[in-house]
Amino acid sequence: AQSVTQLGSHVSVSEGALVLLRCNYSSSVPPYLFWYVQYPNQGLQLLLKYTSAATLVKGINGFEAEFKKSETSFHLTKPSAHMSDAAEYFCAVSEKGNNRLAFGKGNQVVVIP
Amino acid sequence: DTEVTQTPKHLVMGMTNKKSLKCEQHMGHRAMYWYKQKAKKPPELMFVYSYEKLSINESVPSRFSPECPNSSLLNLHLHALQPEDSALYLCASSQDSQGDSGNTIYFGEGSWLTVV
């Protein structure tokens, strides 16, 4: 069964600094990978997704992620953090033929002024 | 803005009450989902409907009863809930449930349920 690992439940980043959230996946077949963001008291919003096209995926709000098969990773980055980036971020994986999403535990991002 | 609409946004109910959560999507999606999310945790899948038929029930207690009246609507009927059922209930939809093309699952804003 597919799974994802997100390390470090809380991530603090200074405003203007690089945001890096790590995601490693486990899948027996080529995976589909997603990053979702959840702002306080809201639902989940799709940031970006990888579905076997380009390995570098650009998403909304200046975020991007790179699929690295050799490292089984799909890390999320943003060059310069904004205060508005404070939120919970979830990495998720699904497999072809199965839309059952497996979520990581999430990263709570805090942006320090 | 999400295209999956959930009502009500907040619901407080007693343990003997019967209430329903409602979800609607107009994206032409044929798969709809209910997820439960506790604070500081990832969402947990409860039910999946595919082409208006229940395809997955993740061993959810019978006090939760899903219903899919048509391809755009999804309900979750609640009866005799427990305080530990208090959570954010998220509805979601996708093109289909097979994931053959990496179908994206789109989430609504959620319904906050408090059981007293």
Side-chain angles (χ1 to χ4, degrees):
Chain A
Q2 69 268 31
S3 66
V4 295
T5 301
Q6 290 180 252
L7 297 178
S9 60
H10 283 78
V11 176
S12 293
V13 59
S14 297
E15 190 176 15
L18 171 72
V19 179
L20 170 60
L21 303 180
R22 300 178 187 274
C23 174
N24 288 90
Y25 70 90
S26 172
S27 176
S28 57
V29 298
Y32 300 128
L33 293 157
F34 307 84
W35 276 100
Y36 287 90
V37 61
Q38 187 172 31
Y39 297 103
N41 302 317
Q42 293 188 24
L44 274 69
Q45 181 180 3
L46 179 71
L47 271 179
L48 48 78
K49 66 177 182 179
Y50 167 77
T51 57
S52 77
T55 56
L56 182 61
V57 181
K58 294 188 184 298
I60 61 171
N61 302 338
F63 284 93
E64 64 180 37
E66 186 172 9
F67 173 72
K68 291 187 177 180
K69 183 178 179 181
S70 61
E71 299 177 8
T72 60
S73 69
F74 190 57
H75 302 333
L76 181 71
T77 60
K78 180 174 180 178
S80 177
H82 256 244
M83 296 300 294
S84 59
D85 294 326
E88 187 86 25
Y89 292 79
F90 292 101
C91 182
V93 63
S94 68
E95 296 175 343
K96 180 178 173 127
N98 177 1
N99 236 8
R100 189 189 298 261
L101 276 178
F103 285 93
K105 292 185 177 181
N107 292 123
Q108 180 71 50
V109 171
V110 175
V111 182
I112 302 167
Chain B
D1 291 336
T2 181
E3 295 184 66
V4 178
T5 305
Q6 292 187 241
T7 56
K9 193 167 179 64
H10 297 274
L11 177 63
V12 179
M13 61 183 291
M15 289 188 285
T16 59
N17 290 161
K18 285 185 180 181
K19 297 286 185 183
S20 298
L21 304 180
K22 298 184 181 300
C23 176
E24 187 171 10
Q25 59 89 12
H26 292 291
M27 294 180 281
H29 289 171
R30 303 313 302 267
M32 296 188 76
Y33 309 75
W34 280 115
Y35 283 81
K36 174 183 177 180
Q37 187 180 25
K38 301 285 274 186
K40 308 297 183 186
K41 299 289 187 182
E44 298 174 356
L45 183 64
M46 299 175 71
F47 302 104
V48 180
Y49 272 83
S50 179
Y51 293 85
E52 301 164 44
K53 293 185 178 179
L54 184 64
S55 59
I56 295 176
N57 176 342
E58 293 283 43
S59 302
V60 179
S62 60
R63 57 186 184 270
F64 294 92
S65 175
E67 178 197 18
C68 189
N70 60 54
S71 60
S72 299
L73 296 175
L74 185 66
N75 299 322
L76 185 63
H77 302 299
L78 315 170
H79 175 53
L81 295 193
Q82 303 297 310
E84 58 265 29
D85 296 322
S86 299
L88 177 66
Y89 288 84
L90 293 162
C91 176
S93 70
S94 68
Q95 196 83 336
D96 64 54
S97 65
Q98 295 306 303
D100 285 341
S101 58
N103 288 325
T104 302
I105 295 179
Y106 295 92
F107 288 84
E109 292 291 308
S111 293
W112 291 92
L113 173 67
T114 303
V115 182
V116 297

